[in-house]
Amino acid sequence: MIFSEILNMLKKDPIDATQTIPVYWIETSDSVSRRFEFEADGRLSSLLFAAGLRPTPAQATAVSWILKDGMQHVGKLICSNLGSRMDSEPKSWRILADVLYDVGAGLEVLSPLCPQLFLEMAGLGNFAKGMAVVAARATRLPIYSSFAKEGNLSDLFAKGEAISTLCNVFGIGVGIQLASTICSSMKGKLIVGPLLSLVHLYGVSEEMRATPVNTLNPQRTAMIVAHFLKTGRIASPADLRYREDLLFPGRLIEEAGNVKIGRAIHEVLKPSQLHQVKDRFPDERFILACGAKWADLILERSATGEDALRGWLVAAYAADIENSLRMPSENVLEEAFNRMDSVFPSFLLAVRAKGWHTDRFLDGARCRFTL
């Protein structure tokens, strides 16, 4: 049925609820024609009847599209609750955003192959694309900020939008050419789509690896401490950019004391141990509890990047002392704290000189404490 005939059918008087008139279309691929149909007595229509409505096939189709597009807004709302984690690991979330977007686009391409599952596949695809849009926009600012040397953030945004527009125009042109040649058939789409997605994700991952971010998060703090203990020097953001683990940013780094940060206090200490552990370093805004496999570092709510660096150094020195000397745990922590306290003033000056921002610590909304 051609499109004009469908419009004429929809302009007629309302259809009786007991009458079944299919709304269908025909898609032609190479030499094969396929007939697709919206069933008025399907699941969606049954739900509308249960709600007291008497939908026509056209109304059921409209509601289907509304539900499909609504899933994108659901994805945006869910992803908006993860903003603090994006601040902590903007590069990892930027890559994840592109993965989600490609998954959503892939589901849209595959949906004609499963017409009976069109609503589910298209809705899930829009859900993934909604999360991708929020994650990409939220991580743009911290990534651009790392390139702002003289407060020229607006200029960076403008240049970034210009480059993005040029790439989009180029991509549209390539897409039109592919759609009229290789991708004119479903087989061509299934071959070219994954290849283009791999190229896209490779380009984004290399872009993120080359981006130096100068804010302190758990992974970068551990890498700074590990490099300092090994070489006696402070690594700059540019030095560490290619060494960041973008797939598993929460991994423990043995050279930095195997520090795990942000667990809840009740998971780390018993209530009777809390004040005893806090009294070890009463003037510090962190709690350090050394275990057999890792050391738990819990920051006070008002702690900054300097406090995180102090706690990390104590944990790293404690691990180094335990590996080289056999001392009681209390003496180990005391010795480690004394070492940290003696080198920290010069250590902090060097960290700031390399361009690191120590006024805040981005831990991804992990648990902090207040006493």
Side-chain angles (χ1 to χ4, degrees):
M1 183 181 294
I2 62 175
F3 184 69
S4 59
E5 292 177 342
I6 296 177
L7 292 179
N8 292 332
M9 183 191 71
L10 297 178
K11 291 179 181 179
K12 294 181 180 180
D13 293 335
I15 303 173
D16 185 73
T18 59
Q19 186 179 2
T20 302
I21 298 180
V23 178
Y24 64 89
W25 69 95
I26 296 175
E27 291 187 3
T28 302
S29 176
D30 294 337
S31 60
V32 179
S33 296
R34 296 180 179 177
R35 183 177 185 271
F36 299 93
E37 178 178 330
F38 287 111
E39 297 181 359
D41 56 346
R43 286 174 294 170
L44 181 61
S45 294
S46 299
L47 292 175
L48 294 176
F49 273 113
L53 301 177
R54 296 295 180 267
T56 65
Q59 290 170 341
T61 302
V63 174
S64 297
W65 282 94
I66 291 173
L67 291 176
K68 177 184 72 69
D69 293 339
M71 290 298 292
Q72 186 171 23
H73 299 294
V74 174
K76 289 181 178 180
L77 290 174
I78 292 177
C79 196
S80 64
N81 293 325
L82 305 174
S84 57
R85 299 185 183 183
M86 299 178 199
D87 279 327
S88 178
E89 294 289 348
K91 296 197 285 186
S92 297
W93 278 92
R94 182 65 178 82
I95 295 175
L96 179 60
D98 285 275
V99 172
L100 289 172
Y101 197 89
D102 286 358
V103 169
L107 288 173
E108 290 180 345
V109 172
L110 294 174
S111 60
L113 297 178
C114 306
Q116 69 277 10
L117 297 175
F118 169 79
L119 181 60
E120 290 83 350
M121 294 185 66
L124 186 59
N126 270 5
F127 177 81
K129 290 172 72 173
M131 293 189 68
V133 168
V134 173
R137 291 176 179 174
T139 55
R140 188 177 302 173
L141 180 59
I143 292 173
Y144 280 177
S145 297
S146 64
F147 293 100
K149 301 301 181 182
E150 299 176 355
N152 58 335
L153 192 57
S154 296
D155 186 42
L156 286 171
F157 266 103
K159 297 296 189 294
E161 289 299 316
I163 294 173
S164 178
T165 300
L166 289 176
C167 292
N168 286 336
V169 172
F170 176 76
I172 290 173
V174 173
I176 292 174
Q177 182 66 26
L178 289 174
S180 60
T181 54
I182 302 176
C183 297
S184 59
S185 64
M186 180 58 69
K187 183 179 179 180
K189 293 184 180 74
L190 295 178
I191 295 175
V192 176
L195 292 177
L196 291 178
S197 180
L198 289 176
V199 172
H200 171 222
L201 295 178
Y202 175 78
V204 171
S205 62
E206 288 300 304
E207 178 188 3
M208 292 299 102
R209 279 168 48 82
T211 302
V213 178
N214 53 11
T215 53
L216 293 179
N217 70 350
Q219 181 177 196
R220 288 189 285 274
T221 302
M223 294 171 68
I224 292 171
V225 171
H227 187 78
F228 173 72
L229 293 182
K230 184 177 180 180
T231 65
R233 298 190 300 271
I234 302 298
S236 67
D239 296 332
L240 297 183
R241 55 183 171 171
Y242 288 107
R243 293 163 52 189
E244 288 187 68
D245 191 338
L246 301 182
L247 293 179
F248 304 100
R251 66 183 179 89
L252 300 179
I253 298 179
E254 184 177 357
E255 296 82 359
N258 281 331
V259 175
K260 181 177 288 190
I261 190 166
R263 288 210 300 165
I265 291 182
H266 69 271
E267 297 177 357
V268 178
L269 300 170
K270 297 179 181 178
S272 58
Q273 298 175 316
L274 178 58
H275 289 283
Q276 179 183 356
V277 173
K278 182 67 173 95
D279 289 342
R280 290 178 183 172
F281 314 121
D283 297 327
E284 300 295 333
R285 288 186 286 187
F286 63 82
I287 289 177
L288 185 62
C290 296
K293 296 181 179 180
W294 63 75
D296 281 289
L297 180 64
I298 309 172
L299 297 177
E300 192 176 310
R301 186 174 297 277
S302 59
T304 64
E306 295 182 23
D307 300 302
L309 287 169
R310 291 176 68 88
W312 228 289
L313 275 174
V314 173
Y317 278 132
D320 183 60
I321 293 171
E322 286 184 349
N323 291 333
S324 58
L325 301 174
R326 291 187 176 181
M327 300 174 59
S329 58
E330 294 182 1
N331 294 342
V332 167
L333 286 177
E334 184 177 350
E335 176 64 22
F337 182 83
N338 291 334
R339 287 191 188 184
M340 179 278 296
D341 208 34
S342 63
V343 304
F344 191 76
S346 59
F347 171 82
L348 183 60
L349 289 176
V351 168
R352 290 175 175 173
K354 289 294 184 177
W356 294 102
H357 292 171
T358 61
D359 57 331
R360 59 188 179 275
F361 183 76
L362 304 175
D363 55 358
R366 294 181 172 90
C367 293
R368 296 197 176 192
F369 74 93
T370 302
L371 292 179

